[in-house]
Amino acid sequence: MKDIYLIYGSDYKLIKRKLDEIKGDIKDVVTYDLSTDKIDNLLDDALCISMFEGKKLIIGENALFLTSIPSNINHNIEYLSNYLNDDNHENIVVLTVLEEKLDERKKIVKQFKEKANVIHVDKIDEKKLPEFIINEFKEKGYKIDYKTTNYFLDYVGNDINVILNEINKMILYKDYDTKITIDDVNNISSRAFKDNIFELLDGIMKKNYKKIFECMNDLKILKEEPIKIISMLGKQITFIYRVKILSDKYNSNEEISRVLNCHPYRVKLAKECDYMIYELEDLVKKLYNLDYEIKSGKKDKILGFDDFLMRL
């Protein structure tokens, strides 16, 4: 296939992984934001010889003109069409789209599918996350068993961005020792982070703003990513929400713990939350929307999360 790629999907981290695979050891890399830059400028650059030996990689992010989303930029689609038809390319061009679907009605999309390497990165099903984690470690030459994988997943949450970051941290920590253990998870994952997250959750559940912002200051000092904090909070609040729902059906903590496959003490703590079911549902939705807006570049991660806390 030609050195032209189109990568699309709803998870930026998975798109980034594909980009890194294509990039390899290429040193000359140029990135354009096609929500503000014209495709014309990118293609002009693609026709120029690299300053280094070998090929140049030109990346065009946010190629939203390939979707049904309206674009304010007047892209020269004919120029792009001619470039796709040309068999002689000096460099590698990769366009990315952070959307689940392309606009199949557009001629240029059909042309991409005929002339280029079109890659759709599927969102990973939660049930397949343990297998995904095991394979990620395996590809990097490390081993982790199912018990440790589930422990790791229970700690870091289901956010794929957080999972991949934590895997990379684990590998840096382990160095030449290739077996990942539960002790490794405990050692590399800051205890202060876990403590602060549950303190933060407790502050949110009790609407104790002094406690909330004390915890947030501590987490900022630890340089913890807002995305990671949002993921952990979302997981814990969802758990409390499910306990509240099941409390109408089951009388005992033990019955609920069997349904949720957790310790009865966690159920007891969740029941102590004063939030109503509709309030918990609203919190989960707000965290989900905030996560999406940060990842899609619509909100700054720090300002967005601070604004969420201020509106509790």
Side-chain angles (χ1 to χ4, degrees):
M1 295 288 285
K2 297 176 181 177
D3 286 337
I4 310 173
Y5 297 82
L6 170 59
I7 309 172
Y8 71 101
S10 59
D11 199 307
Y12 174 76
K13 196 72 176 184
L14 295 179
I15 291 175
K16 179 73 165 52
R17 286 176 75 229
K18 285 293 179 185
L19 267 175
D20 290 341
E21 288 175 16
I22 296 168
K23 178 182 175 183
D25 57 0
I26 296 174
K27 293 182 175 62
D28 196 355
V29 181
V30 183
T31 302
Y32 290 85
D33 182 350
L34 296 177
S35 65
T36 55
D37 294 319
K38 290 185 177 182
I39 191 69
D40 320 32
N41 299 329
L42 181 150
L43 295 174
D44 286 342
D45 200 347
L47 294 171
C48 296
I49 299 172
S50 172
M51 294 183 295
F52 302 91
E53 291 185 7
K55 291 178 179 288
K56 176 165 59 174
L57 174 63
I58 301 97
I59 301 167
E61 297 180 339
N62 300 317
L64 296 174
F65 63 91
L66 298 173
T67 72
S68 57
I69 298 172
S71 173
N72 294 324
I73 307 299
N74 186 23
H75 295 289
N76 190 337
I77 302 301
E78 185 178 355
Y79 190 2
L80 177 58
S81 176
N82 291 337
Y83 187 87
L84 284 166
N85 283 328
D86 189 0
D87 291 325
N88 299 310
H89 295 133
E90 293 287 341
N91 300 305
I92 302 171
V93 170
V94 183
L95 302 189
T96 68
V97 185
L98 190 61
E99 291 291 333
E100 194 57 37
K101 292 182 179 180
L102 303 173
D103 190 342
E104 305 285 348
R105 299 167 299 177
K106 292 183 176 180
K107 289 182 180 179
I108 192 64
V109 172
K110 293 175 182 176
Q111 192 176 357
F112 258 102
K113 294 199 168 185
E114 292 173 4
K115 303 287 186 177
N117 304 281
V118 178
I119 303 168
H120 177 236
V121 289
D122 292 315
K123 202 171 180 74
I124 299 169
D125 191 298
E126 282 190 19
K127 294 177 183 177
K128 295 180 180 179
L129 279 175
E131 182 183 348
F132 172 81
I133 291 167
I134 289 170
N135 287 333
E136 277 296 301
F137 276 114
K138 185 177 179 181
E139 285 179 11
K140 293 172 172 61
Y142 290 78
K143 294 179 182 178
I144 184 170
D145 59 35
Y146 274 98
K147 182 180 178 182
T148 307
T149 300
N150 286 321
Y151 184 85
F152 173 78
L153 191 55
D154 185 57
Y155 174 69
V156 305
N158 297 332
D159 188 284
I160 193 66
N161 298 302
V162 175
I163 288 171
L164 291 171
N165 285 335
E166 291 297 317
I167 288 174
N168 289 333
K169 280 167 60 179
M170 188 74 66
I171 289 169
L172 287 171
Y173 169 82
K174 290 293 288 184
D175 200 9
Y176 295 108
D177 181 6
T178 59
K179 185 178 180 182
I180 309 296
T181 66
I182 287 175
D183 284 341
D184 293 327
V185 177
N186 288 330
N187 289 334
I188 192 169
S189 301
S190 169
R191 186 72 220 175
F193 173 72
K194 284 192 277 188
D195 289 344
N196 274 290
I197 279 293
F198 287 110
E199 285 293 307
L200 176 61
L201 177 66
D202 185 61
I204 290 172
M205 292 296 98
K206 294 174 181 176
K207 296 185 179 179
N208 183 336
Y209 293 99
K210 183 174 183 293
K211 189 173 187 178
I212 288 170
F213 287 100
E214 282 177 354
C215 291
M216 279 308 303
N217 284 334
D218 289 340
L219 288 165
K220 285 176 182 177
I221 290 169
L222 289 168
K223 296 183 179 178
E224 294 293 350
E225 278 291 316
I227 287 291
K228 184 177 179 181
I229 299 169
I230 290 166
S231 174
M232 289 290 285
L233 284 177
K235 184 179 179 183
Q236 296 301 324
I237 294 172
T238 299
F239 175 80
I240 295 169
Y241 171 75
R242 293 177 70 191
V243 168
K244 291 278 190 178
I245 294 287
L246 291 170
S247 294
D248 291 336
K249 184 176 180 182
Y250 300 100
N251 294 321
S252 71
N253 294 346
E254 286 72 21
E255 287 177 299
I256 296 173
S257 69
R258 280 195 292 272
V259 174
L260 297 178
N261 192 27
C262 67
H263 196 280
Y265 186 67
R266 283 191 71 196
V267 175
K268 177 180 177 298
L269 290 177
K271 280 186 171 181
E272 292 174 1
C273 167
D274 292 332
Y275 273 68
M276 303 295 287
I277 288 174
Y278 75 89
E279 291 178 303
L280 292 167
E281 186 177 8
D282 184 56
L283 273 180
V284 172
K285 286 179 180 177
K286 284 178 178 176
L287 284 167
Y288 174 84
N289 290 333
L290 177 60
D291 181 74
Y292 172 77
E293 288 176 335
I294 290 172
K295 288 176 183 174
S296 60
K298 295 178 181 178
K299 275 192 178 179
D300 176 81
K301 58 186 178 181
I302 295 173
L303 294 177
F305 191 49
D306 284 348
D307 182 61
F308 164 77
L309 294 174
M310 290 294 292
R311 294 173 184 271
L312 287 173

